């Protein structure tokens, strides 16, 4: 499933199918928006198969890791870990953690994404170490057939996923509830300030213009802070979340933050003004706009601890 990068790259999930209130939106309205998002990604992923291949799939089968170097570095050694990947898309990153030594469970709301992930695990010969579950992230851990008794050692979430979730507090609770005490959570996400900017955020970037000027400078086009109503984008619906809101949700759910790192590069090219560096990262040459944020935290012994 694709994420919130504007180019159809990244991972995503469409929230839930229940009728409960979330984010200030009535149950039926929210459920309809979730379903529209899910159907969108089912259509997007349906043509994908391991046999036909995509650049992403072929690179993985050729032995390349789909993880960013910063993810591997910050998460550290996962040998022997039971790892949960929330909103896992077609599983290339999930399965890259298997190659790093973990036993993984990937969760995504798209049945087509789960299908491709299972095919990919079989093709790579690592299906015994990977389980993929079709579920709304809000329904975990009940949706996982055999979750670890005390929880997962590591929970990861990739860039381009939080925009599909209206209720950050419940998302953070799911993270904490899924983790074993002392377990690690790692989030790599498009920086909220970058997602608040215009979709062609690099036009005129060298001008140093961060306002709403019409002369080609970067402009603010989307909300930064969480709003009750999602941002409509074609046939999909996305929710915005400020960095402080993301971090606070994790802390209040029982996660002790170890660090928060902001990075002036993106895993995808979001503008023609961005250039690729020697590590395959996309950045602006003339300024250090934060484009990616990574967060690492540890679950407290009791998630009820304040």
């Amino acid at each position: 499933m694709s994420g919130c990068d504007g180019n159809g790259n990244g991972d995503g999930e469409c929230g839930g199918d229940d009728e409960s209130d979330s984010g200030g939106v009535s149950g039926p309205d929210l459920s309809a928006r979730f379903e529209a998002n899910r159907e969108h990604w089912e259509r997007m992923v349906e043509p994908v198969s391991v046999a036909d291949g995509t650049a992403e799939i072929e690179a993985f089968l050729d032995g390349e890791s789909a993880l960013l170097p910063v993810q591997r570095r910050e998460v550290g050694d996962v040998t022997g870990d039971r790892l949960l990947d929330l909103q896992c898309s077609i599983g290339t990153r999930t399965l890259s953690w298997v190659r790093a030594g973990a036993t993984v469970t990937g969760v995504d709301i798209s049945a087509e994404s789960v299908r491709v992930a299972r095919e990919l695990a079989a093709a790579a010969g690592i299906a015994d170490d990977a389980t993929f579950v079709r579920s709304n992230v809000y329904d975990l851990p009940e949706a996982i057939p055999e979750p670890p008794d005390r929880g997962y050692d590591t929970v990861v979430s990739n860039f381009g996923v939080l925009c599909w979730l209206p209720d950050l507090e419940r998302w953070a609770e799911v993270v904490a509830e899924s983790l074993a005490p002392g377990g690690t959570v790692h989030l790599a996400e498009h920086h909220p300030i970058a997602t608040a900017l215009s979709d062609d955020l690099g036009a005129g970037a060298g001008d140093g213009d961060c306002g709403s000027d019409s002369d080609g400078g970067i402009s603010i086009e989307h909300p930064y802070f969480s709003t009750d109503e999602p941002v409509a984008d074609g046939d999909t619906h996305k929710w915005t979340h400020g960095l402080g809101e993301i971090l606070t949700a994790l802390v209040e759910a029982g996660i002790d933050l170890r660090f928060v790192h902001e990075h002036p590069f993106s895993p995808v090219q979001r503008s023609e003004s961005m250039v690729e560096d020697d590590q395959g990262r996309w950045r602006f040459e003339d300024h250090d706009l934060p484009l990616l944020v990574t967060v690492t935290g540890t679950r407290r012994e009791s998630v009820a601890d304040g």
Side-chain angles (χ1 to χ4, degrees):
M1 242 192 300
S2 187
C4 314
D5 53 40
N7 292 323
N9 300 307
D11 304 329
E13 175 163 326
C14 313
D17 301 315
D18 59 49
E19 297 296 318
S20 62
D21 289 348
S22 184
V25 184
S26 63
D29 286 345
L30 185 59
S31 182
R33 286 163 175 164
F34 287 154
E35 183 63 14
N37 286 348
R38 187 191 65 78
E39 290 178 352
H40 172 84
W41 294 117
E42 300 289 23
R43 291 192 300 271
M44 292 291 289
V45 180
E46 185 178 10
V48 178
S49 73
V50 173
D52 294 337
T54 64
E56 178 182 358
I57 289 173
E58 290 177 357
F60 177 80
L61 291 177
D62 284 342
E64 294 184 25
S65 175
L67 299 169
L68 300 177
V70 67
Q71 292 174 290
R72 287 296 313 276
R73 183 172 63 252
E74 292 184 353
V75 174
D77 185 10
V78 295
T79 302
D81 278 10
R82 299 158 301 174
L83 183 145
L84 176 65
D85 188 353
L86 297 177
Q87 302 167 265
C88 68
S89 186
I90 64 171
T92 53
R93 294 184 185 87
T94 321
L95 295 171
S96 293
W97 289 117
V98 174
R99 288 178 174 167
T103 299
V104 304
T105 300
V107 178
D108 200 277
I109 201 171
S110 163
E112 290 296 327
S113 292
V114 167
R115 170 188 60 80
V116 174
R118 289 171 177 167
E119 290 179 0
L120 187 58
I126 51 178
D128 289 346
D129 294 315
T131 300
F132 290 96
V133 178
R134 189 276 189 200
S135 175
N136 155 17
V137 70
Y138 293 134
D139 291 338
L140 295 180
E142 292 83 1
I144 297 176
E146 297 181 7
D149 289 339
R150 298 185 72 244
Y152 290 89
D153 303 298
T154 305
V155 173
V156 297
S157 185
N158 294 294
F159 47 89
V161 300
L162 292 185
C163 64
W164 304 104
L165 303 176
D167 189 342
L168 272 187
E169 287 75 16
R170 180 55 193 148
W171 164 78
E173 289 171 359
V174 168
V175 169
E177 291 165 4
S178 300
L179 275 170
T184 296
V185 57
H186 186 269
L187 169 69
E189 184 56 275
H190 298 302
H191 199 291
I193 191 61
T195 58
L197 301 178
S198 58
D199 292 331
D200 57 346
L201 54 80
D207 299 336
D209 182 359
C210 295
S212 55
D213 185 28
S214 61
D215 295 331
I218 295 176
S219 61
I220 305 296
E221 291 189 0
H222 309 294
Y224 175 83
F225 298 107
S226 295
T227 58
D228 289 346
E229 288 296 312
V231 176
D233 182 11
D235 58 354
T236 65
H237 308 272
K238 303 172 184 177
W239 287 265
T240 60
H241 307 291
L243 181 56
E245 295 164 335
I246 297 169
L247 302 180
T248 300
L250 288 168
V251 170
E252 292 183 345
I255 302 296
D256 288 328
L257 298 181
R258 289 168 48 197
F259 59 75
V260 179
H261 293 154
E262 298 172 290
H263 309 276
F265 58 80
S266 172
V268 295
Q269 184 181 19
R270 298 185 57 200
S271 163
E272 292 181 358
S273 299
M274 298 176 76
V275 296
E276 189 175 13
D277 65 20
D278 57 4
Q279 298 185 48
R281 305 175 303 188
W282 295 91
R283 59 172 71 231
F284 295 111
E285 289 185 292
D286 300 321
H287 63 84
D288 291 333
L289 179 72
L291 299 173
L292 184 77
V293 61
T294 53
V295 180
T296 294
T298 332
R299 209 208 88 164
R300 301 184 198 121
E301 283 297 317
S302 170
V303 296
D305 289 346

